[in-house]
Amino acid sequence: QVQLVESGGGLVQAGGSLRLSCAASGRRLSFYAMGWFRQAPGKEREIVARMRWSNGETYYADFAKDRFTISRNKVGNTVHLQMVSLKPEDTAVYYCAAHRVGADTWDVWGQGTQVTVSS
């Protein structure tokens, strides 16, 4: 079993910054990609950013470009999401996810961490 454990969420004022971290542990730590998703109240879950594990190629949702940065520690199987210039509309539960090699899609999810941005 693979476990993903997020940390770093919290309450921040608009314009502030937060850094989320996600640590993977367990067996079959062979990833095609790792990424971050978020879900705001009453809304569907959406992708924030992802990183292809083999070459570090990244993808960002439009709202995340220029404000969010995904990074990794490949040896430690950790992925981070640095968020700056946060807006109240960024308030959501942020989930770390992994797409393991051999899986069809994102098949491992963390428990989520709350990010609240006050105006």
Side-chain angles (χ1 to χ4, degrees), residues 6-96:
E6 301 109 331
S7 60
L11 173 64
V12 64
Q13 289 187 334
S17 302
L18 280 175
R19 178 180 168 89
L20 306 183
S21 296
C22 172
S25 62
R27 294 187 172 188
R28 280 198 63 209
L29 297 179
S30 181
F31 304 123
Y32 173 75
M34 291 189 74
W36 291 93
F37 292 73
R38 72 182 188 183
Q39 187 166 20
K43 295 188 177 181
E44 293 188 352
R45 186 167 55 192
E46 60 183 350
I47 190 167
V48 177
R50 63 160 170 79
M51 176 178 284
R52 185 170 293 183
W53 214 241
S54 60
N55 61 8
E57 178 186 351
T58 58
Y59 164 85
Y60 293 93
D62 286 343
F63 65 80
K65 292 177 182 177
D66 300 324
R67 297 191 300 127
F68 295 1
T69 304
I70 188 170
S71 62
R72 67 174 175 181
N73 179 336
K74 198 173 182 182
V75 173
N77 290 305
T78 57
V79 64
H80 308 281
L81 184 69
Q82 179 68 48
M83 305 184 291
V84 301
S85 301
L86 284 163
K87 306 174 182 179
E89 51 263 45
D90 294 319
T91 295
V93 178
Y94 284 70
Y95 297 91
C96 176

Side-chain angles (χ1 to χ4, degrees), residues 96-107:
C96 176
H99 179 172
R100 289 184 294 176
V101 172
D104 294 330
T105 186
W106 301 92
D107 63 322

